[in-house]
């Protein structure tokens, strides 16, 4: 059961519990959940563990979750294609364009490491000439500081969000990019979130 609304603690835990109860009432004796977030970190794991304990007590069904691996070629394909589409729509040349992967960064060290791995793979897959990572909610490296640091470089840039669906974080990212472009005169193009994308659907099936 994929959770397609970004990070778990932004979703309704009560709504997810209701879904698990419904599945059990329809005869499901064993239920697997697939958290659908590239930045599935410590806080999400703790919340999901508590929720699954409540679900097992309420339903009697064996309920498990599998984190999957967002550091996967299909996920990279979806993110890279969105970045390429944004660059092409703006008339940018890949060999004169860098990509900034914009992630929340508020999870644990492992979830932030995923952002760096995805950045490198998006950079190479899309054929961009440079790559950076910037976090919205972690100080090192903070996205605004990254944009200021790369501003003197003679490149155009695409900001590629790790958020898979539109929402509050993507709106926040858009505001940061707009503010920076206005103040610096720099050209940073914001890519659309990757979902829905056929490669993500294939990744869910693969996981």
């Amino acid at each position: 059961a994929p959770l397609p609304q970004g990070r778990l603690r932004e979703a309704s835990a009560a709504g997810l519990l209701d879904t698990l109860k419904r599945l059990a009432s329809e005869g499901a004796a064993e239920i697997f959940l697939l958290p659908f977030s590239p930045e599935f970190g410590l806080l999400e794991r703790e919340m999901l563990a508590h929720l699954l304990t409540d679900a097992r007590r309420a339903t009697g069904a064996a309920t498990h979750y599998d984190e999957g691996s967002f550091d996967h070629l299909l996920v990279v394909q979806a993110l890279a294609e969105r970045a390429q589409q944004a660059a092409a729509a703006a008339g940018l040349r890949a060999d004169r364009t860098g990509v900034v992967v914009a992630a929340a960064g508020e999870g644990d060290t492992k979830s932030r490491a995923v952002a760096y791995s995805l950045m490198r793979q998006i950079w190479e897959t899309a054929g961009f000439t440079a790559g950076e990572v910037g976090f919205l909610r972690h100080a090192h490296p903070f996205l605004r500081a990254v944009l200021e640091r790369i501003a003197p470089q003679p490149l155009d840039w695409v900001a590629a969000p790790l958020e898979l669906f539109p929402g509050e974080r993507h709106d926040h990212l858009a505001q940061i990019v707009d503010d920076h472009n206005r103040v610096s005169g720099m050209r940073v193009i914001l890519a659309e979130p990757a979902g829905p994308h056929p490669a993500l659907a294939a990744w869910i099936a693969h996981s």
Side-chain angles (χ1 to χ4, degrees), residues 8-203:
L8 283 169
R9 68 173 174 277
E10 291 180 356
S12 166
L16 182 54
L17 183 58
D18 287 344
T19 298
L20 296 175
K21 289 178 179 178
R22 177 179 56 79
L23 290 172
S25 71
E26 293 172 354
E30 192 168 19
I31 303 170
F32 290 89
L33 287 89
L34 178 63
F36 201 36
S37 169
E39 296 185 83
F40 187 70
L42 181 61
L43 295 177
E44 287 80 7
R45 291 187 187 94
E46 290 179 351
M47 194 214 80
L48 188 55
H50 288 302
L51 187 144
L52 293 185
T53 297
D54 292 342
R56 293 181 189 114
R57 289 172 180 165
T59 67
T63 309
H64 319 276
Y65 79 90
D66 185 348
E67 294 182 25
S69 173
F70 269 86
D71 189 8
H72 189 282
L73 289 177
L74 290 169
V75 178
V76 172
Q77 178 186 339
L79 294 168
E81 286 186 9
R82 288 288 187 258
Q84 286 175 312
Q85 289 164 0
L92 307 184
R93 288 174 42 185
D95 63 352
R96 294 192 56 79
T97 301
V99 61
V100 179
V101 168
E106 61 184 343
D108 53 16
T109 302
K110 180 180 177 181
S111 66
R112 287 191 290 275
V114 170
Y116 283 94
S117 176
L118 287 172
M119 177 275 289
R120 184 73 196 190
Q121 294 179 79
I122 293 166
W123 170 6
E124 294 179 354
T125 300
F128 294 128
T129 195
E132 299 280 351
V133 171
F135 295 123
L136 295 170
R137 299 186 179 182
H138 190 269
H140 304 292
F142 191 48
L143 178 61
R144 290 184 187 273
V146 170
L147 294 178
E148 290 172 2
R149 175 169 55 79
I150 64 178
Q153 298 183 26
L155 297 174
D156 294 311
W157 292 84
V158 173
L162 285 195
E163 284 297 308
L164 299 180
F165 296 89
E168 180 183 349
R169 282 197 179 90
H170 192 264
D171 293 343
H172 183 203
L173 172 58
Q175 186 63 56
I176 290 175
V177 170
D178 288 345
D179 289 347
H180 183 77
N181 285 347
R182 184 178 63 256
V183 171
S184 69
M186 186 178 174
R187 192 181 190 190
V188 178
I189 307 299
L190 180 58
E192 293 296 320
H197 188 286
L200 289 180
W203 174 82

